[in-house]
Structures are given as structure tokens and as C-alpha cells.
Amino acid sequence: MKLDTSGFETSMPMIGFGSSSDMLDGFSSVPSFDLPRTTDFDGFQKEAVQMVKPAKGTTTLAFIFKEGVMVAADSRASMGGYISSQSVKKIIEINPYMLGTMAGGAADCQFWHRNLGIKCRLHELANKRRISVSGASKLLANMLYSYRGMGLSVGTMIAGWDETGPGLYYVDNEGGRLKGDRFSVGSGSPYAYGVLDSGYKYDMTVEEASELARRSIYHATFRDGASGGVASVYHVGPKGWKKLSGDDVGELHYHYYPVAPATAEQVMEEAAAE
Amino acid sequence: MGNDVLIDRSTNIVVIQIFEYNGSAVVAMVGKNCFAIASDRRLGVQLQTIATDFQRISKIHDHLFIGLSGLATDVQTLYQRLVFRHKLYQLREERNMKPETFASLVSAVLYEKRFGPYLCQPVIAGLGEDNKPFICTMDSIGAKELAKDFVVSGTASESLYGACEAMYKPDMEAEELFETISQALLSSVDRDCLSGWGGHVYVVTPNEVKERILKGRMD
């Protein structure tokens, strides 16, 4: 396809090649545009596509250890590239002995966790005893399964302590429900898994486990653009859950990696005598 | 902005925003016989952070700096091309290029690739005749935008416009200009997932260039 460049023609003679070259400053040869050789001239630049499932922009994690369940999350909410909030509560208190984490759509997670809390309370009233973590997670999973395909976005972990001891389940908007010892959900989860898996031992004290959880969230906020804000850490024990800490990750970075004062970069030198 | 992300429902693929692939924030401000140019330091691949020491602002000569935002590979290539053209100019004319001339050069280099552009947005800042500060920005195909106060570019540009508009005062001296541009940059990138992880500021007066690294939030 040749463009009409008659408007550019000058009285100067043409040098061998048509396209402008940097060496000649673009002045000496007849100017013309490099045209891409493609069938879809107007749309080829839009065709940079990628098979990527939109990831849930967050980092949450939970793990079972000797003293119960440790649950941690960041606090950033992002809309595409824009940070809409740095102070979102992503650990939802379903009832005094059960916690849920939020990943995916904030409204979806908040609503369905509250709905789950209602169902758990009704179960307690009807059966005169607390619902198990297994039962609560099943209620949520079945509810989400019935809305499958309608665009809900929920990636949550239900952590609690019941008669059988500590319980941890992962439930998502596809209706999937998994029992496990260690989970991390969200776009920052690969980074959190790296730190969590290498530092995990079943026999940890509460302090060691909370430090591991805090570090995992910190490392995920460093590498992942969609995670940040405050790293909250909760512990679920036999008497219920307790919030252990909420540290700003901006400050955590300089706490873990303090900046050494720079030494003088230039040394004054005597001018060489002629 | 995230709201423009298209999801092609027939094939269920997400069209990536090419200007938001690496993430960037660049701002330049004019002071009294001085200017400041600042950028963030993050290099990422969409949400993943790869490096926290990426150089986005480069020196053309002592009184002329260019900051490039957008696709990182084009940032590096375009910078190398422009330095090459400026060096040829220096050999021929035996002097440095004026900022206004350089801006026209960048505009021409970008328009040469009109139908397959360099995916970056330059911010040019320099001291011209009589040490009068000059700043301008361009889109990816070379449309110049001159300004008397500040120019911004990058994924955080909307936040930067707001912060600069609120904090800018005319005729600031070098130290006050440094404070203002640093605060504007840090508060804007703290609202952007794709830029930040520190800051890099150059404050240029007729006699000296001060380069400083900012300690920012690393999340």
C-alpha cells in the first residue's frame, strides 16, 4: 500500500533509499513513512492480547499450626491501576470464633460473609450448639455454587476453631471448597507462598507464627502491585479469634531493610600539578 | 485506567493496556531560574515488580533532561536514539542544543513512526537562554504541550495533575521546588498500583545539578 507523498517532494535529488536514515538527519532523502506490512492496518496494534484470567488484586493467607490458625491479609483495594483505598478490612469477623478473608469483589465478599454469619447464628439457635467450620464453609460453598456463572468474584478462606480443633477451608466463586493446612489467595499469593512455605513448621509459637505471617504479607506487598497498605494478623485459638497486629508495610520495609547512610561518593582530589 | 479494560467475551481474553504494561510516573516543574524533574523507580510486568531502580530520567546535556514514561523497552531505545542525534548535533554545531530545539527534534523523531509508534510519553525539561526554565511533554506521536508551571506523564498522571495543581506555586527557589515536587510525586504514586517504589529527583540550577533518591512506600 503506497501513501501519496507528493506533498513532501522537494527539488532535491533522491538518494538511493526511500526511508529516512538517522545519519542524514532525515533532510537529504525524500521523506516517507515506514508502513507496517499487515492485513489489519487499523487494528493490528490492538491485537496485543493475552490469555489472562483477571486476578483478584490482593494477598491473603491462613495456616494451621500447633496453637491454632493464623490469618493475615493486606489492606489495599485497587480498581485496575488506581488504588481506591489503603485501609480496607479484608479479614471479616463472621462470629467470635470464626474468621473469613476477602479476595475478589469487595461487595461480594462482605455481603456473603455477613449472610454466612446470619446462617451460622440461625444454626446455633436451631440446634443449640455452634456450627462447625466444615459446616459453615459448606453453607458458603453451596450458596456460591448456586450463583455460578453469574459473575460473582469471591476467593475466601474460612478459618475457625470448633470441637474438632482448628479448621481451615478455601471457598471460591466457582463453588470449589478445599480443606487444607496452608492457603494463600490473591494476585500476591505466589510471593506469599514462597516465604510461607519456606518458613513453615507445625511446632511454632504464636509469636513465631505471627512473624511468619507478617513477613509473607510484607513480601507479597513488595512484589505485587495490587497489594499493599497495612498487614493485619489475626490468631484463632480455642477461645476464639484475636487481632495480633496491624503494621503499615511502608514502615515494615525500612524495619526489615534499614537504609544505611550513604558514604560520600566523591573524594576531593588535588589538581595534578603541571 | 482500569475501567477501559476490555474483555472480549467471545474468546474471554483481556486486552492488555500497553501503556500500563510497565507502569511509570514522571513530573517536571518550573521554579525561579531552575527546574526539577522527578520520576518513580519501579519496573514491573503488569502487577509483578521486577526492579526498584529503573532509570527513567536521562541527561542530554548539563542543562537538558528528558524523562520518558511508558513501555520500558521503548524508553531505553528512544533515549539511545535521541542521545545519538544530539551528539551529532554537538559535533556539527560545536554547542549544546537549546531545549526548544530538542523538543522539536523529539517531536519529529516520534512522528516519523506515526504508524508504528514508540509507546512512550516524553517529558522534557531544560534551562534555555538567560537560564529561563523550559518544560514540555508530548504524546506518543509527538504532539507538543508546552506549560509554564508543570507537566506530568505516566500511569499516575491523573493523580499527579491533582497533586501538582494543589501544591504548585510560581517562582519557587531550588530547595522549596525540591520539596514540592517530591511531595507531589510520592503522594500521587501512593495512589497508583503500577508506579512508585521510591523516587528519583533532579533539581537543576544554572550552576549545579542535584540528584536525590526519595525514600517512599515500597508497596
Side-chain angles (χ1 to χ4, degrees):
Chain A
M1 188 184 131
K2 277 225 43 109
L3 276 187
D4 175 20
T5 53
S6 54
F8 292 126
E9 272 157 21
T10 66
S11 52
M12 288 179 79
M14 231 175 93
I15 318 285
F17 34 88
S19 54
S20 64
S21 152
D22 283 335
M23 279 304 284
L24 300 173
D25 270 350
F27 293 139
S28 321
S29 56
V30 173
S32 69
F33 286 115
D34 287 332
L35 291 175
R37 260 158 260 184
T38 170
T39 44
D40 182 16
F41 185 78
D42 288 314
F44 77 96
Q45 286 180 64
K46 277 187 263 177
E47 288 205 31
V49 291
Q50 220 179 59
M51 290 283 279
V52 161
K53 207 163 181 263
K56 298 167 171 115
T58 188
T59 310
T60 58
L61 60 87
F63 57 90
I64 292 180
F65 68 115
K66 191 179 60 167
E67 308 272 1
V69 195
M70 200 56 82
V71 184
D74 74 314
S75 69
R76 175 175 288 186
S78 48
M79 296 193 316
Y82 181 69
I83 298 176
S84 41
S85 172
Q86 290 268 62
S87 51
V88 175
K89 270 191 73 166
K90 294 193 188 178
I91 298 182
I92 299 161
E93 297 141 9
I94 299 169
N95 59 41
Y97 58 96
M98 232 191 309
L99 292 174
T101 59
M102 181 199 294
D108 288 335
C109 290
Q110 280 175 1
F111 178 84
W112 290 110
H113 279 122
R114 190 146 167 85
N115 185 276
L116 178 65
I118 293 170
K119 288 213 179 89
C120 291
R121 179 75 183 128
L122 288 173
H123 176 102
E124 264 181 46
L125 291 169
N127 300 92
K128 272 197 182 177
R129 62 186 223 161
R130 281 179 176 174
I131 192 170
S132 62
V133 183
S134 170
S137 60
K138 192 89 175 182
L139 281 174
L140 183 64
N142 289 343
M143 182 57 63
L144 293 175
Y145 182 79
S146 63
Y147 285 94
R148 201 172 133 99
M150 295 199 197
L152 286 184
S153 174
V154 170
T156 182
M157 294 179 285
I158 306 293
W161 189 291
D162 59 25
E163 289 160 356
T164 61
L168 178 62
Y169 286 82
Y170 164 75
V171 178
D172 69 18
N173 54 277
E174 315 263 291
R177 172 175 165 267
L178 295 172
K179 181 168 157 65
D181 288 337
R182 288 205 293 278
F183 286 113
S184 175
V185 182
S187 56
S189 62
Y191 315 109
Y193 270 129
V195 178
L196 179 60
D197 290 340
S198 51
Y200 177 82
K201 288 192 307 279
Y202 183 76
D203 301 307
M204 282 190 285
T205 62
V206 173
E207 287 77 32
E208 283 168 350
S210 80
E211 182 57 24
L212 178 65
R214 193 175 311 120
R215 263 203 194 248
S216 308
I217 295 288
Y218 157 72
H219 280 282
T221 62
F222 181 77
R223 282 289 170 183
D224 180 32
S227 304
V230 168
S232 315
V233 181
Y234 283 64
H235 173 241
V236 187
K239 298 205 185 77
W241 58 260
K242 182 166 183 278
K243 179 164 181 177
L244 294 182
S245 65
D247 299 292
D248 183 297
V249 297
E251 282 155 33
L252 270 186
H253 173 83
Y254 295 106
H255 172 67
Y256 290 140
Y257 301 103
V259 180
T263 49
E265 279 162 10
Q266 279 200 337
V267 178
M268 296 269 281
E269 277 173 7
E270 295 274 323
E274 287 296 308
Chain B
M1 282 293 282
N3 297 332
D4 315 289
V5 170
L6 304 166
I7 301 181
D8 183 345
R9 289 281 172 211
S10 61
T11 43
N12 258 337
I13 40 186
V14 179
V15 177
I16 55 166
Q17 305 286 88
I18 197 64
F19 283 105
E20 278 155 43
Y21 188 71
N22 293 126
S24 49
V26 182
V27 56
M29 272 191 189
V30 161
K32 193 171 173 137
N33 292 336
C34 64
F35 69 85
I37 182 167
S39 76
D40 73 320
R41 305 187 80 208
R42 178 182 183 268
L43 174 71
V45 169
Q46 298 189 305
L47 288 176
Q48 179 177 54
T49 305
I50 305 293
T52 56
D53 58 0
F54 188 67
Q55 181 90 327
R56 247 173 213 112
I57 299 176
S58 321
K59 191 172 90 156
I60 302 290
H61 64 71
D62 275 330
H63 288 157
L64 180 57
F65 283 75
I66 182 166
L68 291 153
S69 68
L71 196 64
T73 174
D74 283 350
V75 162
Q76 291 178 327
T77 302
L78 187 60
Y79 165 64
Q80 287 163 6
R81 283 243 157 111
L82 292 170
V83 157
F84 172 64
R85 296 291 289 265
H86 182 255
K87 282 186 175 163
L88 283 181
Y89 184 93
Q90 277 179 322
L91 288 171
R92 284 203 196 94
E93 304 264 329
E94 291 177 358
R95 65 179 176 92
N96 287 332
M97 240 193 215
K98 283 192 255 187
E100 293 84 358
T101 316
F102 184 71
S104 298
L105 170 69
V106 178
S107 176
V109 166
L110 290 174
Y111 200 79
E112 267 170 20
K113 299 280 179 209
R114 171 67 177 80
F115 298 113
Y118 289 112
L119 297 159
C120 18
Q121 285 133 336
V123 164
I124 295 162
L127 284 179
E129 310 271 277
D130 303 324
N131 294 324
K132 192 165 177 311
F134 169 87
I135 52 171
C136 86
T137 185
M138 263 166 242
D139 67 0
S140 58
I141 45 176
K144 262 189 288 190
E145 187 215 312
L146 307 173
K148 295 203 173 75
D149 40 15
F150 56 85
V151 288
V152 305
S153 106
T155 50
S157 59
E158 272 148 12
S159 303
L160 277 166
Y161 272 126
C164 291
E165 196 69 61
M167 298 186 200
Y168 179 80
K169 287 194 319 272
D171 288 329
M172 283 187 278
E173 296 289 345
E175 279 310 308
E176 205 193 340
L177 186 64
F178 166 69
E179 279 300 324
T180 307
I181 200 175
S182 306
Q183 293 291 3
L185 179 72
L186 288 179
S187 57
S188 306
V189 301
D190 282 348
R191 275 288 174 184
D192 182 23
C193 297
L194 303 171
S195 54
W197 277 257
H200 209 148
V201 188
Y202 290 83
V203 180
V204 180
T205 56
N207 302 320
E208 65 171 359
V209 172
K210 261 210 179 126
E211 178 188 346
R212 291 176 178 102
I213 308 271
L214 298 175
K215 216 170 107 159
R217 286 185 67 95
M218 305 295 255
D219 65 352

